[in-house]
Amino acid sequence: MSSGTECYFDVIVVGAGFGGLYALHKFRQQGLSVRVFEAAPEVGGTWYFNRYPGARCDVESLDYCYSFSDELQQEWTWTEKYATQAEILHYIKWVADKLDLRPGITFNARVISAVLDEDTMRWAVTTDNGETVVARFVVMATGPLSSALTPDIPGLETFGGKIYHTAHWPHEGVDFTSKRVGVIGTGSSGVQSIPIIAEQAAQLVVFQRTPNYSVPAGNRPLTAEEITHAKATYDTRRRMSWRSGGGSPHVAHPKLTMEATPEERRAAFEERWQLGGVLFSKTFADQMIDIEANEEARKFYEGKIRAVIDDPEVAELLIPRDHPIGTKRICTDTNYFQTFNRPNVTLVSVRKTPIESIDSAGVATTSAHYDLDAIVLATGFDAMTGTLAKIDIVGRNGQKLSDDWVDGPRTFLGLGVDGFPNLFLVSGPGAPAVLANMVLHAEAHVQWISDAIAHLDQHGYAAIEATSDAVENWIAECNQRADATLFPRANSWYVGANVPGKPRVFMLFIGGFATYLDICAEVANAGYKGFNLLKAL
Ligand code: FAD
Ligand code: NAP
């Protein structure tokens, strides 16, 4: 929509991943004028960029997809329990085409600033192409895991071979055949890619700083019967997911860990082990609260892992001891630990012998030099806040979001920010975000924002702004809830520990997906309690 010479929209959405695409569809359906800016040349977000070998979802495909349209979920057919990156990207492109979303998106356009005009309550959004558009609302669907971290290792730039980051993988793929490859990092990205790189490479050296818990995915093709059944019962599956702690249709064992008999405990852990992956941390409801309960899960885990690693010394290095199980996201793997039984794979604990430098020939630790042809950085992200920090977001009185957040992110519900009226975040800090199935989470946020805008329009309000009290209380509540769990015991990216100098703050709402949704609904039903609704000047 145009007003005068400047381009004007009701809503500017930044990002065309799962969150931004649904926002475009939803707001458009609502009759709003919407423009999406996307830095990449294509839709997909996470699934456009993270093309490393072995990249897959760790929430089951049947759940990790849009629920808002039964037509979509009936028409699309997933082929595997955990879909590959390629299949997920294919799905997202298919949705974008089916809903005719592309005309609403400007690709190759990175938003560099968003500046509020307090007199008009309009945001001026500028891209790196020099375009500025004006809108009533800005929705940042920029992703919690969209700013890759490159470690500051001396000499990295002098390496004579190829360097790849898992989050910026070449689209043409990489052939490691007959190459000597080093992988730095053993989080989810490293754990998924290492087994496949090992199959190709002549030699693979894995540089592990902190061992991680990883549970086998148990991935497999979905059978025709499973697909038919899932499609026929999607309503129930989704209902259970919306009422769950993490956005998947699985419920914890009815007893607390230590109330169960040893046999019941073992059977419950075994059942979750067979389910596969990250949900192992939700076997019992108290597993992430009570260290004794957690230790039971850890012991079961340790037994499983030791059984598949040939060399006890290697097992010793691979089994985590520094944090309770589940306090960092459990990785979901296929043959990760077995990979270290291969003769062409070497595990180097850089906790014991730190990386000192990288030179033209390879990686030097305090005890050895490893000659390499290629280095894979599986070193993660400046999560939750890193991408927003790159945008010059200026609110009331010239306040910059990055200054306001210098001691940690400040939001109410992970949706609104005090001092930044009509700016919404999708899956921002202060929400469950990455602790939940992120597709449903994005849907919930977009739905809430859509309802809020409709409420403003129906009642003649120009703007909505989180109050500072609500933000302070929410931060306190998020901290209290986190402190009541075992999560703060880990040096995870949830607390920003992976980024040197980042304030250590637990950046997520940990009280569970359904509880969070209830709180968001209560706020809305109470006339957006905790937000100021402002009439036009
Ligand atoms: P993203 O997909 O990150 O999209 C954000 C978009 O915003 C990007 O396209 C980016 O280019 C764009 N953008 C950012 N800044 C700007 C700017 N300034 N201007 C213009 N555009 C901008 N979650 C799960 O729940 N289950 C999983 O199985 C799962 N697997 C994952 C696997 C990997 C490898 C990774 C990295 C993450 C995974 N996640 C998973 C989390 C995942 O990020 C979310 O599930 C989801 O894809 C996020 O969608 P989004 O739209 O919020 O953000
Ligand atoms: P990550 O979990 O942050 O892991 C990064 C790894 O790099 C860690 O092992 C870290 O060690 C290591 N590292 C970082 N800097 C290093 C350095 N200078 N020297 C040595 N090691 C270094 O990142 P990620 O693996 O990309 O995963 C991030 C998140 O994305 C996941 O938790 C998950 O939410 C999502 N994800 C999901 C999947 C999936 O299975 N669907 C796959 C990939 C990603 P330390 O632990 O010691 O810091």
Side-chain angles (χ1 to χ4, degrees), residues 15 17-19 38-39 45-47 57-59 64 109 111 141-143 387 391 438:
F18 270 116
E38 168 54 60
T46 292
W47 302 102
C57 50
D58 61 2
V59 168
Y64 190 66
V111 168
T142 46
T387 304
I391 306 173
M438 284 278 292

Side-chain angles (χ1 to χ4, degrees), residues 240 243-257 260 264-265 267-269 271-272 275 279-289:
M240 286 176 76
R243 296 318 304 159
S244 71
S248 291
H250 302 285
V251 282
H253 192 276
K255 292 185 181 170
L256 296 180
T257 308
E264 284 172 331
R265 246 189 332 262
F269 286 137
E271 196 183 319
R272 277 292 158 129
L275 180 63
L279 289 170
F280 185 72
S281 64
K282 293 183 191 287
T283 311
F284 290 94
D286 60 344
Q287 209 172 306
M288 302 311 303
I289 299 167

Side-chain angles (χ1 to χ4, degrees), residues 274-312:
Q274 296 308 328
L275 180 63
V278 66
L279 289 170
F280 185 72
S281 64
K282 293 183 191 287
T283 311
F284 290 94
D286 60 344
Q287 209 172 306
M288 302 311 303
I289 299 167
D290 174 357
I291 191 67
E292 193 187 1
N294 189 279
E295 186 54 20
E296 287 295 310
R298 206 199 63 74
K299 278 192 298 204
F300 177 91
Y301 172 88
E302 184 169 339
K304 287 281 191 190
I305 298 308
R306 278 196 192 283
V308 299
I309 305 171
D310 293 345
D311 181 341

Side-chain angles (χ1 to χ4, degrees), residues 453-516:
I453 293 175
H455 181 87
L456 297 183
D457 287 350
Q458 278 156 19
H459 296 87
Y461 291 111
I464 179 168
E465 178 180 3
T467 67
S468 293
D469 280 353
V471 169
E472 295 294 343
N473 291 340
W474 187 247
I475 294 171
E477 173 159 2
C478 287
N479 282 330
Q480 271 163 19
R481 285 182 184 262
D483 288 344
T485 72
L486 303 172
F487 279 85
R489 298 194 190 191
N491 290 320
S492 63
W493 57 258
Y494 301 154
V495 297
N498 62 329
V499 181
K502 196 164 173 171
R504 193 181 174 106
V505 179
F506 196 82
M507 292 184 281
L508 302 160
F509 174 85
I510 206 155
F513 188 48
T515 305
Y516 171 77

Side-chain angles (χ1 to χ4, degrees), residues 52 56-58 145 151 184-189 192 209-210 328-329 350-351 378-381 493:
Y52 58 84
R56 289 177 186 277
C57 50
D58 61 2
L145 293 162
I184 302 178
T186 53
S188 298
S189 304
Q192 285 189 327
R209 190 163 64 186
T210 313
K328 287 181 172 185
R329 190 178 184 86
V350 299
R351 181 75 67 204
T379 44
F381 300 87
W493 57 258

